Each structure stands twice: as structure tokens, then as C-alpha cells.
Amino acid sequence: MDREVPLDRLVGLSNDQTSLASSQVTERRTQYGANAILEEASSNWYNIIRNTIQDPMIWFLVGTAALFLWLGEYTEAAVLAAALAPIIGMDAYLHRRTQASTEGLLARLATQTSVIRNDEEQCISSDELVPGDLVIVRPGEYFPADGLIVSGEGLQAEESSLTGEALPVRKLSFGWPAEAPKALMADNQYWGMAGTRLLTGTARIRVAFTGAETLYGEIVRLSRLSQRERTPLQEAISRLVQLLLVVALMFCAALAVIRYVQGYGIVDAVLSAVTLAIAALPEEFPVVLTFFLGLGVFRLAQRQALVRRAVVVENIGRVSCICCDKTGTLTEGQLTLDHSLPVEGLKIDHLLAIAATASRRETSDPLDLVLLQSARALDGEFEKVFPFTEDRLREVSVRRVAAGHWDFAMKGAPETVLAMSNLSEAQGAHWKARVNKLASTGHKVIGVASLGINHWNGEEPQSGFEFAGLLAFSDPVRPGVADAVDRAQKAGIRVIMITGDHAQTAEAIARDIGIGTTEPRAIDGSELKAALERDPHGIGFDVVSRCTPAQKLLLVQALHNRGEIVAVTGDGVNDAPALRGADVGIAMGLRGTRSAREVASIVLLDDDFSTIVRAVSEGRQLFANLKSSFAYLLMLHVPLVTTAALVPLLGYPLLYLPIHIVWLELIIHPTAMLAFQNRAPTDILLPVEHHKRVRFFSSSEWISIASVGLVTSCIVLGSYLLSLGTEPDILHARAMAIAALVTAGSAITLGLTRLHSPVALIATIAPLASAVLAIQIEPLARILHLSPLQPDDWLIITLSGILTGAGAAFVRPR
């Protein structure tokens, strides 16, 4: 991964000895600010406490404990009060863990660092560093900022916080060019980056970027920013919970009246209503969704995709079409001059000099950099530049070479340069044929021409140029891109390549990469509107050449109208409309402009198409994990609500007491949050249905979930009623019903997770162990108003659990 070196910050600081003076430090701190990756939140624990006390279960416990205390049932009140501790502790832990994905990043930052200032080594707080500082990093220490390694032997670093790779990375000292360059790129092996740790050797680094400008700072800042937003799915679930709360309260009030009329008394009536309210309120759903979205932000960041908006975590896994730029994303973006073809009588050096003259001196454009390195611009006083744009497809520079005489140097798209040159028809056809031959082999071809005039009115000449020849450049395809394209297309994701290059160049690259079902189909950007109008229901091409940003936006809008979920890449200011209009706008982190990064919903750290496919894979797996968690909640809430309502309505003694709800909550809440999140993503992309609206479960999945829930309801209700007997044994009946429900929950966890992680194994075994201990140990059973079960009871419960688990395994979302 190459990164541009900020030469303006490092003037005169290329060695490993020169240090900043105090006056320079003060000046630079004023200019660049403190090396603060992210301002600390005012009170993290305050936020955790605030979120924790919003759990309705806590107020349920407080209210029922107070009720029992008022009735003189001191043992019941004490048990419920004691149950507050694990409930509050669990909630605090889970809320804290939700924040840990981004706040854990901050813990990896160096707090103190050794720096050389005023030619002396000092130990200072890391937030006091400024660009240009010379920092000493010793084995085991974290790099405090992003900087170039200027000296060190046998250096290895651990960069898992940025790359997700735990293997050591070799680091080398950067060799500065003898002559001061206009622009300079440095590979990752020469950088020491904030948040990564030096494993071996002692390094001296010259700080280039501090604070939020570091790659690490951007990860932390964007991850935390995205967690403040509410996604459409969060809003929908929040509205659903509010609606269910109103319905539950109305139904609970009715149940309380019915129980009181049945003669069970006011206490029983209140407990029945409150218990049903807690069972019916799905407060876990918004909590689980928020937790998984935060986890998705962190995991995508580890796959080199920084999420700026949490909504992208919902959308990325449902992408059906990727509109991708060619240069730097599908290819390496590192141009090599392969062929120089001057016109007869013109030397190659002069052809290159004309092209260099038409190149910008202060630029990071790969083409201009290659030309400026290949030749020296022609002499003369530069007066004006007519810049390259997507509409003009050429760049023209103007030089005054003598009094009253101006020379124009032009480079650009061959068809544009040829059209403005004074070639005969036969000569034009000859050079067009050569352009097509070079382009068909995947080369980027530009035309070069010049013009000298004695009278200039300040306008750009439109004709009369002397054609100078052609230059052909190669830009190798990135390793792994062809495989990533193949995986995406096999998963039903369409890939459309967008480029400003010649159509035949684009076709050749697309053919090498494997874009399209057979032979890639290319159209020119000028033909795009007509092609879309001819085919209002589909897209009959794979490549758009000579594409302008306006045409790119038109394509994104057309794909939207056809029901596609679109991801689009961009790196320039003009790409902002297309990035904003896409479901997933992806900006290039290395070469992208700030405006592109601000508009996009994802920023790629490595500008690599393979990263996009990995992010889609991660998104799909995360969505499958979330579906599994929600399926678990639904399959347990259905029997819990059903039995909590039917038993008192039918006039039987209460099945669930407050302590039982506490017990079940301690099982359901952590299982839903933790058991399903570690289902590892795979590089194999499975096809999914694409819909503009989020269809969380398919019709068949809804039917399966409802079936499992109803079967479990019948098992729990049947266990209770059959065990109650003609001479009611309420303690035995409760034990049978609750044991059946807990066992069903473990079976559902087993069926949905297939024990893919240690957490899933614990979430399956721990509830069963709690049921056996709570029911079979008589003192505990008495406290819980249960009685020990016989072996044949446990056999029945086990068989019913197997039935439930088999149904859950069939439901398992993918």
C-alpha cells in the first residue's frame, strides 16, 4: 500500500539526526493541532449507567420487590432485590462491550514517547507530537503517530489493528531521493503507523501525520461517528417495540381484570399482568441490533473498509451491483511507459518532452508523474494551462518562447488529439489503427501534439496542431482481483467497470479480469443514455468507457430504477453525486479527495476491489448472524408470551413468577447478544435475494420460525397442564414447564449455531446446567417455587428438546 509523503511538512528533515527546535514545535502545533486521535467522551460510565437503567427488566424487579415488601413477603422481596445484581451487571457488561470495538482501539495508542528536540532526547506525552518530530520507538512500544522510518535494523511490526493480520510485518528505512521531488510515494514497509506496535529492533521515525490524519485516527473517528446514527432497520424496530408496548399494556390490563374477576385477588392480578408485559416486550431486539451494527463497523474496519454511516452495515451484504472504477481499484494505479511511437522524423526524447510540458508540476496523477520522470519539459515561460477534464479529454499548456511567439503542448485521448491535428485522412486512419492495436492489449494510450503561433488571443486553439505521436502505458491488474470478480459474479453480484480509457483498453482489462458472463460488452459514455433508454428493464453492457461523472450518476440512477442495490466507487470531487446517490458509496482512502470521502458511506484504506468483495462477504455473514439472533429471540418469545397469557386466562395458577422471568432473562439476553456474533465470515459469497426493502426473513423462514415457536408453546403448555394433575401439584407443573422451556432454548441455540464457537457451546450448556441445579437441588427449588423432577420427567423434556432443536436447525438463516 503506497501512501503520499507530505513533503511540505518534512523539508530539510530527511535524515535521522536533525530535530525540531522549540520555536518550530510551537509553530507546527498551532498549524496542525495536537496529536489527539479522538477526544475522550465526557463520561463513558455515565453513558453505560444511562443505557443500563433503560432496561424494563430492572424496573420490573424494583416494582415487584417493592410489592412483596409491602405485602410482608420479605423472602420474595430479598430474592428479587438480589436478582438485580446479575441483571444490572449483565446489562452493564453488554453495553460496555458494545463500545469496546472502538474504545479498545484507543488503548493501543502510545501515551508517552521518546522524541529528539533541540538535539536532545526527551520523554513527552504523545499528544504533544507534531509533524516533523524525530521519534525513537523501541521494541514492544506502539508507534505514536504515522511517520517514515528513517533508521533502524531488523525491524518488525505488528499491525493487526489496521490490517487484521497478526503476522509480523518487516519494516525498512526509507531512502530519500538525491534531488527534491515534486511528489513522493512510500510503500507500507517504510511507514510506522499509530496504533501498531514495534516487535523487534529500535526505529527512528520522522512524524508525517498526527491525530485524526493518521490511518488509525480515521478508523476510530469514523467508527465512533457511525455508532451515533440510527439506521432504517433500527428505526423500524424501535417503532415496532413502541407499538407492542402499547398493545401489551392494554392486554395486560385486561388480563389483570380477568384474574381479579376469577377471584385470585389483587396481588395475583398485578403479578399476572406485569409478568405478561415483561414477557411480551421484545426489548432485546433494538439492543441486539445496535450491538451487531457496532460490531459490523469494527469488523469492516479490520477488512480495510472504514464505515462512515452505520446504514451501510445493513446495505453492504445486500449489494447486487458494483459500479467500479478501473484505475487504482481493479488495477494497481502504477503506470509504466511501455511504448513511445513518434511520427517519422521526430525523436522519442522530443515526443516525451512535449508530453512532459503538457503535464502539471504539482500533481499526484500517475500519468503526469511518469512523464515528468521520463523527460524534462521544454524551455519557455509558462503562461497558462487548459486542464484535462472528462469532457475535454485533453490538457494543453502554453509557453512564451520568444517575444510574440507561443508554443502549445497537448496530450490527451488519441481520438481528441488526432481530431485537432492537421493530419490527412489516410494519416489519421493509420494512427487510429495503431491506437486500436495498442488498446486491444490493455494499454492506456495517449496522443501528443504541439503548435507554435505568433499571435495569440488567449483562447485555446481548436485545430492546426502538429501530431507528434503516441505513448502507451501499462497498469497491471491488482493481484486477487480476477478471483474477487469471479466470486462476486458467482454470488449474483453484477460488476460494471467504469473508466475514462479507450473502449478497447477497457475491454482488454475487463477480459483479463473476467468481467461479464462471456465476452465483456463495452459501450462509450456518450452512448450510455441511449442504451439505457433502449433497454428500460435491464443493463446490456459490462464496461462504460470514456465515462464522465455525470454519466456515472446516470448509470447509478438507472440501476436504482431497475431494482438493484448499488455500490459505486469514486475518488474525485466530481464523483460526489454518484457516491451520494448509491446505496453504498465507496471512496478511495489513498488517492481519494476529501469531498469524496466525506460523501461516501465507506472509505477503502487500500483502494482494492478485493476489499469491496471481502466487505460484502462480511456484511452478508453479519446479516446472517443477526438473523440467527432474531430467530432465536422469536422462537423463545412465542412460547414465553403464549404460556404467560394462556395459563392465567384459562384460570390456572400462575406459571411464571417474577423470579422465573429473572432467570429466563439471564439466559435469553446474553445468548442473543453473544452466541451468534462469532460465526466466522467466509470468502465464499453465497447468493442472496435482492430487494430494495429489507426483507429480514423470507416467507419460508417466517413459517418455520412460527412453527418452532408454536410447537415449543404446545410442549411447555402441555408439560404444565399434564403435570398439574387432578390434584394440582403446582410446584411440579412449574418445574416441568420451565425445564421444557429452558431445554428448548438450549436446543434452539444448538440448532442455529451448530456450536461454531466456544461462546455458542457455553450458551447451549449453561442454561441446561442452571435448570438441573435449580430444580434438582431442593433448597434452591423451594426458593424458586419448584420441586425436583423424576428421571422419566427429564426424558420427556430431553425428547421435546430434540424436536425443537431439529426444527431450529432447519430454520438456520444463511
Side-chain angles (χ1 to χ4, degrees), residues 386 394 396 398 408 410 420 451 453 456-465:
F386 297 95
R394 64 187 184 275
V396 179
V398 186
F408 296 79
M410 175 170 63
M420 296 175 64
L451 172 65
I453 60 176
W456 180 45
N457 61 5
E459 299 294 327
E460 180 187 14
Q462 300 298 307
S463 61
F465 281 83

Side-chain angles (χ1 to χ4, degrees), residues 679-737:
R679 187 172 162 190
T682 173
D683 283 337
I684 299 175
L685 276 173
L686 297 177
V688 296
E689 296 182 27
H690 303 295
H691 304 279
K692 293 303 289 184
R693 293 185 61 187
V694 177
R695 291 180 56 186
F696 204 79
F697 292 112
S698 65
S699 299
S700 60
E701 287 173 333
W702 275 117
I703 292 172
S704 300
I705 289 170
S707 299
V708 172
L710 290 175
V711 168
T712 307
S713 299
C714 292
I715 290 172
V716 175
L717 186 60
S719 299
Y720 179 76
L721 296 180
L722 292 175
S723 300
L724 201 58
T726 54
E727 295 183 5
D729 186 354
I730 183 60
L731 300 185
H732 180 255
R734 279 178 181 156
M736 278 292 293

Side-chain angles (χ1 to χ4, degrees), residues 369-391:
L369 290 174
V370 170
L371 291 172
L372 290 169
Q373 291 169 3
S374 302
R376 180 180 177 183
L378 298 171
D379 294 332
E381 181 183 351
F382 279 90
E383 294 233 345
K384 190 171 184 178
V385 173
F386 297 95
F388 181 95
T389 66
E390 290 81 2
D391 296 323

Side-chain angles (χ1 to χ4, degrees), residues 468-805:
L470 300 174
L471 298 174
F473 303 81
S474 62
D475 183 7
V477 173
R478 282 181 179 268
V481 163
D483 178 62
V485 169
D486 180 61
R487 287 189 286 117
Q489 292 180 155
K490 285 181 178 177
I493 299 174
R494 181 163 192 178
V495 180
I496 298 178
M497 188 174 81
I498 299 173
T499 179
D501 283 342
H502 190 279
Q504 288 190 312
T505 301
E507 284 183 352
I509 296 295
R511 190 180 302 111
D512 289 344
I513 294 172
I515 290 178
T517 53
T518 53
E519 187 72 11
R521 298 156 294 177
I523 66 168
D524 190 270
S526 60
E527 305 169 359
L528 180 62
K529 185 175 181 180
L532 294 173
E533 291 174 349
R534 282 195 308 269
D535 192 3
H537 301 295
I539 300 291
F541 50 84
D542 307 296
V543 178
V544 184
S545 62
R546 299 298 190 211
C547 186
T548 67
Q551 292 161 350
K552 192 175 186 178
L553 176 60
L554 179 65
L555 175 60
V556 170
Q557 292 171 336
L559 289 165
H560 266 297
N561 295 337
R562 288 159 174 76
E564 301 281 359
I565 299 172
V566 186
V568 62
T569 67
D571 57 9
V573 175
N574 291 338
D575 286 324
L579 291 171
R580 186 184 293 111
D583 295 286
V584 181
I586 303 172
M588 302 298 104
L590 294 180
R591 70 178 192 278
T593 61
R594 179 174 180 178
S595 59
R597 291 196 297 268
E598 289 298 325
V599 169
S601 50
I602 281 183
V603 178
L604 293 188
L605 285 180
D606 57 6
D607 294 7
D608 191 345
F609 179 82
S610 299
T611 298
I612 300 174
V613 177
R614 288 194 297 269
V616 173
S617 174
E618 182 70 59
R620 289 190 178 184
Q621 189 61 68
L622 187 80
F623 203 67
N625 294 350
L626 181 60
K627 287 174 67 175
S628 294
S629 181
F630 276 20
Y632 166 82
L633 289 172
L634 288 168
M635 285 187 280
L636 270 187
H637 267 283
V638 168
L640 182 59
V641 174
T642 301
T643 52
L646 281 180
V647 168
L649 282 176
L650 293 174
Y652 293 102
L654 289 180
L655 168 53
Y656 304 111
L657 298 177
I659 192 63
H660 303 142
I661 296 297
V662 173
W663 179 11
L664 294 172
E665 177 74 9
L666 287 170
I667 293 172
I668 295 173
H669 206 69
T671 300
M673 295 279 278
L674 302 176
F676 305 96
Q677 62 164 290
N678 291 322
R679 187 172 162 190
T682 173
D683 283 337
I684 299 175
L685 276 173
L686 297 177
V688 296
E689 296 182 27
H690 303 295
H691 304 279
K692 293 303 289 184
R693 293 185 61 187
V694 177
R695 291 180 56 186
F696 204 79
F697 292 112
S698 65
S699 299
S700 60
E701 287 173 333
W702 275 117
I703 292 172
S704 300
I705 289 170
S707 299
V708 172
L710 290 175
V711 168
T712 307
S713 299
C714 292
I715 290 172
V716 175
L717 186 60
S719 299
Y720 179 76
L721 296 180
L722 292 175
S723 300
L724 201 58
T726 54
E727 295 183 5
D729 186 354
I730 183 60
L731 300 185
H732 180 255
R734 279 178 181 156
M736 278 292 293
I738 292 176
L741 183 59
V742 172
T743 303
S746 289
I748 291 170
T749 304
L750 173 63
L752 291 175
T753 65
R754 311 286 174 86
L755 302 183
H756 57 69
S757 69
V759 176
L761 178 63
I762 293 171
T764 301
I765 295 176
L768 292 175
S770 72
V772 172
L773 293 175
I775 293 173
Q776 298 304 117
I777 298 177
E778 197 162 346
L780 285 178
R782 282 199 303 270
I783 294 175
L784 295 173
H785 301 280
L786 305 171
S787 65
L789 300 178
Q790 300 302 314
D792 57 337
D793 294 328
W794 284 110
L795 178 61
I796 294 172
I797 290 168
T798 301
L799 292 175
S800 65
I802 293 173
L803 177 64
T804 303

